[in-house]
Amino acid sequence: MLAKRIGFLGFDGVTASHLVAPADTFAVATLDSGYGDRIPCYQTYIIGLTCEPFRAESGMTFTPAEALQTVPELDTIVVPGGNGLRQTEASEKIADWILTRANRTRRIATISTGIYGLAPTGLLDGREVTTHWRFASDVARRFPKLRVDHKRPLVKDGPFYTSTSLSAAIDLSLGLIEEDYGCHVAFAAVQELGMPHMHRIRQTEFSKPVAFDSQPRNRFAELVPWIMRNLHGDLSVNTLARRACMSPSHFNRAFKSVLGSTPAEFVENLRVNEARRRLSSPKKTIQSVAELVGFANADEFRRAFEKRFGAKPSACVNNSESRSSETCFGSKVTQNHRTSPTQLSLSNGS
């Protein structure tokens, strides 16, 4: 499973809370690995118009992780609000960049006056939108093809999401998490934030209801920890589909849509990650570990391990005949996977 990439656009004059609060909401969305670790659901990026730091309305300074020209492919783009975006130079740069990304980005969201960065693209023409009440009349005047209703805190129209304020933006973030991973993961994020009163997605209507059933996502949130606890067992598609109370064909499609890889690829990644962890323990052999995590034989395990990490499993064996377990996290693996051991569970696919 690969963490979904969420990009937040930053610019001089941005509202700092529009960056920080929704980003923190995505950051606390995790899945249970089944072994006490948490698997992040999202990877967030702060994207500057350039590589230079930018200054928020409040005076806070942010150093962007990426610039418009260097940011990788994203699942979701979020445009925060702020006085700076109502300046033509900033809004035009952002609009031009969004147009280059729109066809390969799953969804685009705006927070409050962030709509000034998306509306010039023409992508919202004819669509229902919302924005902060103070600027609704100006937005309607400048972009007459938009159907503006500032009384609605959240509006979804196709792949475009608009919101009115910071509190609505946090609810928007929780709604997107619920779309991706189900209500259990969204509710866990609410609990982690310590602000249960803020999750009003169930009571707040989008302009169009979510087009897909979130029930499979709820089942997957419970299925992943079960898989982790049963790596040694039969984890075929038929077994997992029965566990999720779905037909194998529906399960296969829904699983790939939600978690970004086929069930077989997902299970294999979990198995080799757990095998690598176990190999670092004293007196563990490749054969015994391969069996414990569910591989049919050592050869099958070696092939999967080398494909995953670009190194032989023997490099991770910790005994008196070999180097310490630090070898397992040596430069070759680190260069190929710039992530923590826990996050390695997410590194299949894009």
Side-chain angles (χ1 to χ4, degrees):
M1 172 186 160
L2 181 69
K4 299 182 187 300
R5 293 170 175 167
I6 311 288
F8 289 84
L9 290 167
F11 46 88
D12 285 327
V14 70
T15 301
S17 59
H18 290 182
L19 281 176
V20 176
D24 283 346
T25 304
F26 284 113
V28 300
T30 59
L31 294 174
D32 186 349
S33 71
Y35 287 91
D37 294 326
R38 307 302 300 179
I39 303 175
C41 295
Y42 299 96
Q43 183 176 6
T44 58
Y45 293 83
I46 301 298
I47 307 164
L49 303 188
T50 68
C51 294
E52 298 299 317
F54 57 89
R55 186 181 179 87
E57 291 174 329
S58 62
M60 296 178 65
T61 300
F62 293 85
T63 301
E66 302 285 347
L68 294 179
Q69 305 307 318
T70 63
V71 68
E73 295 298 311
L74 299 169
D75 174 83
T76 302
I77 295 171
V78 180
V79 188
N83 290 328
L85 198 54
R86 298 200 299 279
Q87 305 301 317
T88 302
E89 182 179 1
S91 63
E92 286 183 351
K93 282 185 178 180
I94 288 174
D96 289 345
W97 178 79
I98 288 175
L99 283 173
T100 68
R101 291 295 187 112
N103 289 336
R104 56 185 196 270
T105 302
R106 183 162 65 101
R107 58 195 178 194
I108 302 174
T110 67
I111 301 171
S112 186
T113 53
I115 198 168
Y116 283 97
L118 180 57
T121 65
L123 296 171
L124 296 179
D125 289 357
R127 296 185 182 273
E128 296 181 1
V129 300
T130 190
T131 188
H132 192 283
W133 64 267
R134 189 184 300 278
F135 303 99
S137 296
D138 184 60
V139 169
R141 178 183 59 80
R142 292 177 59 176
F143 308 102
K145 294 183 180 180
L146 274 56
R147 298 157 61 192
V148 182
D149 183 358
H150 70 272
K151 295 180 180 180
R152 303 173 68 179
L154 298 171
V155 172
K156 172 187 177 183
D157 195 332
F160 303 102
Y161 301 70
T162 53
S163 59
T164 57
S165 61
L166 174 61
S167 60
I170 296 176
D171 276 344
L172 171 62
S173 302
L174 292 167
L176 298 181
I177 293 169
E178 184 172 344
E179 282 192 9
D180 292 339
Y181 296 100
C183 62
H184 294 305
V185 176
F187 182 69
V190 170
Q191 291 181 311
E192 189 68 24
L193 289 170
M195 296 181 287
H197 64 283
M198 300 194 71
H199 186 42
R200 299 183 297 271
I201 296 301
R202 292 294 184 184
Q203 291 75 38
T204 305
E205 78 280 6
F206 284 111
S207 66
K208 295 181 180 178
V210 175
F212 48 78
D213 176 17
S214 65
Q215 188 177 8
R217 289 154 180 80
N218 301 340
R219 294 170 182 171
F220 294 155
E222 299 167 352
L223 183 63
V224 172
W226 182 85
I227 293 174
M228 289 295 298
R229 292 191 297 268
N230 294 274
L231 290 176
H232 60 284
D234 175 13
L235 296 178
S236 63
V237 169
N238 287 340
T239 299
L240 298 179
R242 284 196 300 271
R243 181 77 185 180
C245 300
M246 300 166 66
S247 70
S249 58
H250 183 203
F251 173 82
N252 215 17
R253 291 193 299 271
F255 191 99
K256 187 171 184 178
S257 173
V258 173
L259 296 177
S261 63
T262 66
E265 292 168 340
F266 187 83
V267 168
E268 183 177 275
N269 274 341
L270 292 181
R271 280 174 166 161
V272 294
N273 285 331
E274 176 60 15
R276 190 181 71 165
R277 186 183 71 83
R278 295 189 182 212
L279 284 172
S280 64
S281 301
K283 299 182 180 180
K284 293 291 186 181
T285 67
I286 291 174
Q287 180 67 43
S288 66
V289 168
E291 293 176 357
L292 285 171
V293 299
F295 284 97
N297 53 64
D299 288 339
E300 180 183 296
F301 168 57
R302 287 189 182 94
R303 288 193 296 271
F305 193 96
E306 289 184 30
K307 180 178 72 173
R308 179 71 176 84
F309 297 119
K312 295 181 182 297
S314 56
C316 291
V317 176
N318 180 14
N319 57 40
S320 58
E321 302 290 329
S322 65
R323 290 176 289 174
S324 71
S325 59
E326 291 181 359
T327 306
C328 192
F329 301 95
S331 59
K332 185 170 185 180
V333 174
T334 303
Q335 289 168 359
N336 290 334
H337 302 276
R338 296 178 183 175
T339 183
S340 68
T342 299
Q343 290 174 313
L344 280 169
S345 298
L346 302 173
S347 300
N348 181 56
S350 60

